[in-house]
Amino acid sequence: KCPLLAGPAANSGCPEIKAEDKAVLDLAMRNVQFESGSAKLLASSSQILNQIAEILKRYPGFKLQIDGYTDNQGNAFANQQLSENRAKACYDFLASKGIDKSLMSYKGYGETNPIADNKTAQGRQKNRRVTFTLSPK
């Protein structure tokens, strides 16, 4: 699957992403935070996003998909827009750190694909997230 990159057969010939880098991408889902009801990144998100930028620099043959999600509170259309805007805010942040925009894409999914129960505050908190998926070009 990756004719221009060397990797093990067990990974379809593509390079493997180191476990510690996967852990940072997973941690980002919980640590990228925004102002309430807004796509404005909180300053506390900079550290994890800077780590993602460094990871991207270590994997030049890869691209990053950024996906935004919300909980089910409020208007579904507004949630769709908010999820898209939050994913784009991460995209813009990474681009400002020198990451080539052609190596990234973003999409908002609104309140679809919850990972927890929206009936509780804790569940809604988990559903308000941005995910980062690194894959070969």
Side-chain angles (χ1 to χ4, degrees):
K1 288 186 174 182
C2 301
L4 302 177
L5 304 169
N11 199 39
S12 301
C14 296
E16 291 183 331
I17 300 168
K18 292 181 181 179
E20 57 268 22
D21 292 336
K22 285 181 183 179
V24 169
L25 295 171
D26 184 53
L27 183 65
M29 179 176 71
R30 293 181 297 281
N31 287 353
V32 172
Q33 301 288 314
F34 300 87
E35 288 185 4
S36 181
S38 165
K40 184 174 183 202
L41 285 161
L42 294 180
S44 60
S45 299
S46 295
Q47 181 180 3
I48 194 77
L49 289 170
N50 283 327
Q51 289 177 317
I52 290 173
E54 290 304 314
I55 288 170
L56 288 169
K57 291 174 185 174
R58 289 196 295 271
Y59 296 93
F62 284 70
K63 61 184 176 181
L64 181 70
Q65 175 64 41
I66 306 166
D67 296 322
Y69 301 88
T70 65
D71 59 29
N72 69 347
Q73 302 296 292
N75 177 283
F77 178 79
N79 283 339
Q80 174 62 37
Q81 293 299 310
L82 181 59
S83 68
E84 180 104 8
N85 292 339
R86 286 180 169 179
K88 185 177 185 315
C90 295
Y91 170 92
D92 290 340
F93 180 96
L94 294 169
S96 78
K97 297 299 176 182
I99 303 302
D100 186 339
K101 289 182 178 185
S102 71
L103 299 177
M104 299 183 292
S105 57
Y106 64 91
K107 184 170 176 139
Y109 290 92
E111 53 195 59
T112 64
N113 302 320
I115 58 171
D117 190 343
N118 273 309
K119 293 178 183 174
T120 68
Q122 268 188 331
R124 289 189 298 273
Q125 168 73 35
K126 289 178 182 177
N127 291 332
R128 295 188 299 266
R129 68 196 188 280
V130 177
T131 62
F132 301 87
T133 306
L134 199 55
S135 60
K137 289 190 225 180

